[in-house]
Amino acid sequence: MAQLPPGIYLITSCTRDQWYRAFIFVLTFMLYVSFHLSRKPISIVKGELHKHCAIPQDTELISYKKYAVPSQPVEEPCNKSSRGWEPFDKSNYKELLGALDYSFLCAYAVGMYLSGIIGERLPIRYYLTGGMFASGLFTAMFGLGYFYNIHNLWFYIAAQIANGLVQTTGWPSVVTCIGNWCGKGRRGLIMGLWNSHTSVGNILGSLIAGYWVSTCWGLSFVVPGVIISVMGIVCYLFLIEHPKDINCASTSTNNSKSYMNGSNRFKIQKPKISTKETSKSQDPEMQCLLSDNENCGKPLSSNFCEGYESGHSAISFIGALRIPGVVEFSLCLLFAKLVSYTFLFWLPLYITNVDNLNAKEAGDLSTLFDVGGIFGGILAGIISDRLKKRASTCGIMLLIAAPVLYVFSAVSKMGLEATIVMLLICGALVNGPYALITTAVSADLGTHKSLKGNARALSTVTAIIDGTGSVGAALGPLLAGLLSPTGWNNVFYMLMVADACALLFLLRLIRKELRCRMDQTLGVMTSLVECLKSGDQMRLKNSKFEADYGDDDVKIKVLENVKLSLKD
C-alpha cells in the first residue's frame, strides 16, 4: 500500500472536534484582525492631516540648502494647501488630534462595560455581526469627510465616538467564543498565539492605510470599513458559539455544569464531587488568586452563586468584581493598555518627527512594534503556562519594560537601525502583559471555580477587565497630546510611570503566587509521606503528587529522598 500524502495524513489524523476547534480559532482570529485593522488608519493619517513644513520666510535659505547639501532632508515651505487638512492645519494640531483619539477611546471604555452585560444576554453570532457592520459604517464615515470636503471638527469627533461604541461588541464576543472552545491545559500558549490578531490587524491596517495616505487618505478609512463589513458577513455565516451547538466534546472540566451561549442554553450534569476533593483538584493557579482565609474549593458566598448553577441568570457586575483577581488585573491593565495605546496612536507621528520620515514610511516602520508584540504575547503565554504564574509573568515583563522605554527614547534619535531594534524589543515587553491579561487571565477568571460552571460570566468578566484597561487607553493618547508639545521625553517619562503603576497593582498577587507554590510543595510532600507510611498506593496514585511530578524519573528521585528521610 502506498504511503498517504502528507496533506491527507494531516486531515485523517485529526478528529472532527479538533478540526472544528482549529476552524473557530482561525475564524475568531480573522474577525478580530478586522477590528484592529479598522482602528489603525487614524494613527497613519495623522501625518497627512497636519504636514510638517517650514515657515515661509525661510524659503530662500531652504532653496539654497536644497541644492548645496542634497544629502540632508529639507522640509518644503508651507502654503495653504500643504499644511494639512483643515481644521488640523493649525498650530494646536496635536491637541485636536489628541481629541480624536480621546473621543474614540472614551466611548470605547464606557461602551465596554455595557457591551459585556448586553452580549451575554444575546446570541453572540448576531451581536458580533451587527457590531461589525456598524464598525464598518462609522470607519468609512470618517474617510467620507475627505471625499465630501468636510472640515468640521465635530463631524470627525462624532464619527470616532460612534465607532468607539460599536467596536466594543468585538472583544467580549470573541473571547467568550474562544473561551468556550479552548481548554485550560495550554491556555496561555493558545491565547498568546491567538492574541497576535491584535498585532496582525495593526500591521495590515498600517499597510492598507499607508498605501493611500499620501494620495487619497479617505480610502485609508473606506477600505478597512469595507473589509470589516465583509468579515461581518463571514461571522454570520460561519461562527459557532459553543461546542455543544454541533455536539462536539466540551473542553471544560468543571463539575455540575450548565453550558450556555446567547439565548440558547444547554445543561449537562456531571457527578458532584465533595468540597474536600474539589479543593485538592482545583487549578493551582486559581488557588493562588484566592485570599488567605478562603477555601479554594468553596464558592465565594451563597448569594454570589445563587441561580448560576441552574444557568437561569447572568452574573451581575458586582458579582464579577468579587471574583478573586479581577480588580487587581483590571487596574494593572489600565496602565498597561495606557502604554500600548499611546504607541498605537502616536508612534507614527513620533517617528515622523524624530527620524524625518514621511507619513507612509513612518507607518510602515511602526509595524515593527506590532511584530515585537506578536512574539511578546506568545512568550508571555508560554512562560505563564510553564510556571503557572500569570501575575508573576506579567510583573517580570513590566519590570523590564520601564527602563527599556527610557533606552528607546534615547536610542531612537541616533538613527534608523537603532530605532528598528528598539521597536521590536519594546513591542514584546509592552504588549506581552497586555496580551496575557486580556486573553488567558480573562478566560481563567471568567471560568473561576466560584462561578460553579456559569459559562455566561466570561463575557462580563472580559468586559470589566478590558473596559477598565480602555480607560487607560483613553488617558494615554490624551496625555501624550498634552505632553508632546513640551517634548517627547516627557511622554516617555509618563509611560515609564504607567508601567511602574501597573506592576504595583500586581504585587499582592505575585506575593500570593510565590507563597502558594511553596505551600503546595509542602502539602504534596506531607501527603506523600503519609501515603508511604500507610502503604496506600491507590491514594498515592490519585494524589496531587501524580499531577505535579508526573515524570517517572523525577518521581523516583523524590520517592527515594523521602524514603531516606523516613529511615533517618
Side-chain angles (χ1 to χ4, degrees), residues 255-515:
N255 304 308
S256 185
K257 285 198 168 185
S258 300
Y259 300 99
M260 289 148 290
N261 61 82
S263 59
N264 302 317
R265 296 168 186 169
F266 305 88
K267 188 173 181 181
I268 309 240
Q269 292 292 335
K270 293 185 179 181
K272 292 186 178 181
I273 301 176
S274 66
T275 302
K276 184 176 181 180
E277 291 174 341
T278 305
S279 64
K280 288 182 180 179
S281 61
Q282 189 175 354
D283 184 1
E285 186 172 340
M286 288 296 99
Q287 285 181 330
C288 296
L289 294 178
L290 293 171
S291 62
D292 298 337
N293 297 326
E294 283 176 311
N295 187 323
C296 296
K298 185 179 178 180
L300 295 178
S301 69
S302 58
N303 294 332
F304 176 70
C305 294
E306 184 178 355
Y308 297 162
E309 190 170 9
S310 61
H312 295 300
S313 64
I315 190 173
S316 67
F317 184 85
I318 301 299
L321 286 176
R322 294 178 61 191
I323 298 174
V326 168
V327 174
E328 290 90 342
F329 278 114
S330 297
L331 293 174
C332 173
L333 185 63
L334 187 151
F335 291 99
K337 206 167 182 179
L338 183 153
V339 178
S340 180
Y341 267 66
T342 301
F343 273 96
L344 174 67
F345 282 91
W346 284 92
L347 182 58
L349 186 61
Y350 171 75
I351 294 173
T352 300
N353 291 345
V354 173
D355 292 323
N356 296 315
L357 301 176
N358 61 38
K360 184 180 185 306
E361 293 170 339
D364 293 343
L365 186 60
S366 69
T367 60
L368 293 176
F369 181 84
D370 296 299
V371 173
I374 294 175
F375 292 105
I378 296 172
L379 181 63
I382 293 173
I383 294 174
S384 67
D385 278 346
R386 181 68 176 172
L387 300 179
K388 298 188 182 301
K389 295 179 177 66
R390 307 281 197 220
S392 300
T393 303
C394 292
I396 292 171
M397 299 187 80
L398 290 169
L399 183 63
I400 301 173
V404 169
L405 289 174
Y406 177 79
V407 174
F408 175 66
S409 66
V411 170
S412 58
K413 301 172 185 177
M414 297 180 181
L416 198 59
E417 295 78 7
T419 301
I420 291 174
V421 174
M422 292 308 301
L423 279 174
L424 292 170
I425 297 174
C426 286
L429 293 174
V430 168
N431 285 339
Y434 164 38
L436 186 63
I437 294 173
T438 53
T439 54
V441 170
S442 296
D444 288 345
L445 297 175
T447 54
H448 193 272
K449 294 287 184 180
S450 60
L451 298 173
K452 302 176 73 174
N454 179 23
R456 299 170 73 190
L458 180 55
S459 180
T460 299
V461 171
T462 302
I464 289 174
I465 293 176
D466 198 53
T468 306
S470 298
V471 175
L475 289 175
L478 174 67
L479 293 175
L482 296 175
L483 293 174
S484 56
T486 65
W488 287 106
N489 283 339
N490 293 330
V491 176
F492 279 96
Y493 293 146
M494 179 266 293
L495 297 179
M496 286 185 279
V497 171
D499 258 333
C501 292
L503 177 60
L504 181 65
F505 282 109
L506 285 184
L507 290 179
R508 190 176 73 90
L509 294 181
I510 293 173
R511 181 175 61 86
K512 283 183 177 296
E513 284 183 345
L514 297 176
R515 187 175 61 190

Side-chain angles (χ1 to χ4, degrees), residues 125-288:
R125 183 165 61 94
Y126 298 147
Y127 185 60
L128 185 56
T129 300
M132 296 183 78
F133 279 128
S135 296
L137 172 65
F138 292 118
T139 299
M141 176 180 165
F142 195 103
L144 293 177
Y146 173 86
F147 297 103
Y148 288 96
N149 202 31
I150 298 174
H151 297 280
N152 190 321
L153 176 65
W154 289 105
F155 170 82
Y156 298 102
I157 289 179
Q160 288 287 85
I161 292 174
N163 198 19
L165 288 173
V166 297
Q167 288 250 340
T168 60
T169 60
W171 189 245
S173 300
V174 294
V175 171
T176 299
C177 188
I178 195 68
N180 288 338
W181 284 87
C182 174
K184 297 185 69 173
R186 289 182 293 173
R187 179 173 280 171
L189 172 60
I190 294 172
M191 289 293 201
L193 291 168
W194 179 75
N195 192 66
S196 62
H197 55 53
T198 300
S199 299
V200 173
N202 289 341
I203 292 170
L204 291 177
S206 297
L207 297 177
I208 292 172
Y211 185 81
W212 283 288
V213 65
S214 300
T215 56
C216 179
W217 64 259
L219 288 176
S220 297
F221 291 91
V222 173
V223 173
V226 172
I227 291 174
I228 191 173
S229 298
V230 171
M231 292 305 298
I233 298 175
V234 174
C235 172
Y236 178 79
L237 294 176
F238 296 105
L239 184 66
I240 305 169
E241 302 173 16
H242 200 284
K244 295 301 172 184
D245 292 352
I246 52 171
N247 297 320
C248 280
S250 174
T251 59
S252 183
T253 58
N254 286 355
N255 304 308
S256 185
K257 285 198 168 185
S258 300
Y259 300 99
M260 289 148 290
N261 61 82
S263 59
N264 302 317
R265 296 168 186 169
F266 305 88
K267 188 173 181 181
I268 309 240
Q269 292 292 335
K270 293 185 179 181
K272 292 186 178 181
I273 301 176
S274 66
T275 302
K276 184 176 181 180
E277 291 174 341
T278 305
S279 64
K280 288 182 180 179
S281 61
Q282 189 175 354
D283 184 1
E285 186 172 340
M286 288 296 99
Q287 285 181 330
C288 296

